[in-house]
Amino acid sequence: MRAWRVHQYGRPSEALRLDEIDEPVPEAGKIRVAPTRTVLNFNEIDGCHGRYRTVNPDLPYTLGMEVLGTVDAVGEGAEEWLGRRVHATAESAFGGYADKVICQPDMVFDAPESLDDTEAAAFFFPFHLSWLGLHERGQVQPGEWVLIHAAAGGVGSAAVQLAVDAEARVIGTAGSEDKCEFVRSLGAEAAVNYRDGDFATEVRDITGGAGVDLVFDGVGGEVTEASLRCMTRGGRLMIIGFASKIEAEDAVGLPPRLLCFSQVSIGGVLLAYSSNPAVYGGMAGFNINPRSLGDRIHEELCERLAEGRIAPLVGGTVPFEELPAALEQMEDRLTTGRIVVVC
């Protein structure tokens, strides 16, 4: 089978080779998906550069986290999944850029029948992560000001839709005027071009000096620190990723003085589910969500999808053979929405 594998670190076109490797066989309790689509993620760019410590297997390895396809083989105990069209996360969050992908059922969900393969591929990660950040952890309320960073991206655009659906007042940041217009078209009350200067000052002006109640931060680094300067007392800052610079994952924390003076709460958000109660807490700071929560979130999202309140946003499609070039376009901040790969 074909697989895009990282052989050396560098830009995706330098790091990746399209190899022929043996098809994997699912062990007991696991499933195998034959993808029709996969999706690009910033974490995979970091994987090409060898700077993503969370997913850092030995070279060479098959890149890719997400797939959309049909379950074509199962291990003992997973028979119920055979033949179903699913969103799935590759086991251990790598191995997805291949013709056959092994997955753990805890990170597999039925794809909505109303969506074609391309739309369905763009649905799972952005909306689950956004729900976790806005509703489960962020506790968004109607009428609150919500600041969403990287709002034109795959996750950010989903977060804008869910925040608008929650009747919040949404401000999005993006890196160009065209992207800002795109964010406004999703229902955001305002959009700020972060390349024009200090977004925190503009956000404070938009809110009449009050600041925002909730920040959905998938950028990290300096953006996180600046966000504290435009939040209201008692606000909540949800850290969901580090698109600006993955090294911020392990950087020294925020200035204590700023934390004291801002009087806000900071929370982390992780998209990971498990049916094993032993891993819900107590894993030395690595707490996974119960699968039952994932099922409830998926049901909530599918209801909103069916009612036309949210929709996956596909920024473009690319052939499987052109995957490295597409990753480089994302790395250069030239994309909006989700970029779906046709397998």
Side-chain angles (χ1 to χ4, degrees):
M1 71 171 190
R2 303 171 303 166
W4 280 109
R5 299 204 295 171
V6 179
H7 283 265
Q8 63 183 24
Y9 296 132
R11 292 267 282 176
S13 61
E14 301 165 340
L16 292 168
R17 297 182 199 167
L18 187 56
D19 294 334
E20 284 289 334
I21 63 174
D22 293 337
E23 290 186 359
V25 177
E27 300 173 355
K30 301 179 183 180
I31 69 171
R32 189 178 73 187
V33 177
T36 61
R37 302 289 188 275
T38 183
V39 192
L40 305 186
N41 287 282
F42 266 101
N43 288 345
E44 291 140 11
I45 295 167
D46 293 314
C48 288
H49 287 278
R51 60 195 181 205
Y52 188 33
R53 292 179 58 186
T54 303
V55 179
N56 190 29
D58 294 335
L59 301 181
Y61 74 92
T62 302
L63 197 66
M65 290 196 300
E66 291 182 72
V67 296
L68 184 287
T70 300
V71 178
D72 75 338
V74 298
E76 183 180 357
E79 291 84 2
E80 65 180 292
W81 288 99
L82 191 62
R84 289 157 69 171
R85 189 180 73 129
V86 297
H87 315 281
T89 305
E91 184 178 25
S92 300
F94 67 92
Y97 292 162
D99 288 328
K100 306 285 185 180
V101 182
I102 300 297
C103 306
Q104 292 275 6
D106 280 339
M107 287 297 289
V108 178
F109 295 86
D110 288 308
E113 293 181 3
S114 62
L115 300 178
D116 65 26
D117 283 359
T118 297
E119 295 166 331
F123 183 69
F124 171 32
F125 263 46
F127 284 101
H128 272 253
L129 185 56
S130 296
W131 186 280
L132 286 165
L134 293 170
H135 286 281
E136 175 68 18
R137 300 285 290 120
Q139 295 295 298
V140 63
Q141 300 298 316
E144 288 190 322
W145 283 104
V146 177
L147 175 61
I148 297 172
H149 291 302
V155 174
S157 59
V160 170
Q161 292 182 69
L162 283 179
V164 170
D165 180 70
E167 299 181 357
R169 304 182 70 181
V170 179
I171 304 170
T173 67
S176 72
E177 288 307 316
D178 285 345
K179 288 186 176 182
C180 285
E181 181 57 35
F182 172 68
V183 172
R184 286 188 286 267
S185 75
L186 298 176
E189 192 164 326
V192 177
N193 186 342
Y194 63 79
R195 298 186 190 276
D196 285 347
D198 177 17
F199 73 82
T201 297
E202 190 164 350
V203 168
R204 285 198 302 271
D205 290 343
I206 292 169
T207 61
V212 296
D213 302 282
L214 176 61
V215 177
F216 185 88
D217 180 12
V219 179
E222 295 178 357
V223 168
T224 301
E225 183 171 341
S227 296
L228 294 176
R229 304 181 190 279
C230 61
M231 295 182 67
T232 190
R233 175 179 173 274
R236 294 94 65 202
L237 190 155
M238 295 296 119
I239 298 173
I240 63 105
F242 305 92
S244 65
K245 194 176 185 182
I246 196 65
E247 291 85 353
E249 275 193 318
D250 297 298
V252 176
L254 295 163
R257 183 170 65 89
L258 182 56
L259 291 175
C260 289
F261 289 2
S262 65
Q263 295 199 82
V264 303
S265 299
I266 299 177
V269 182
L270 175 67
L271 175 51
Y273 303 116
S274 175
S275 57
N276 181 358
V279 300
Y280 297 168
M283 289 186 66
F286 195 88
N287 298 323
I288 295 176
N289 302 305
R291 169 63 193 225
S292 57
L293 173 61
D295 288 332
R296 291 198 301 272
I297 290 173
H298 202 64
E299 183 178 354
E300 293 275 6
L301 293 172
C302 288
E303 286 179 3
R304 283 161 173 74
L305 177 70
E307 293 168 359
R309 294 156 61 183
I310 60 173
L313 296 174
V314 177
T317 60
V318 296
F320 187 76
E321 293 78 11
E322 297 177 15
L323 188 149
L327 279 173
E328 291 188 356
Q329 279 200 314
M330 176 178 279
E331 183 175 19
D332 294 337
R333 302 299 199 272
L334 299 176
T335 61
T336 58
R338 301 225 78 190
I339 305 305
V340 177
V341 178
V342 180
C343 301

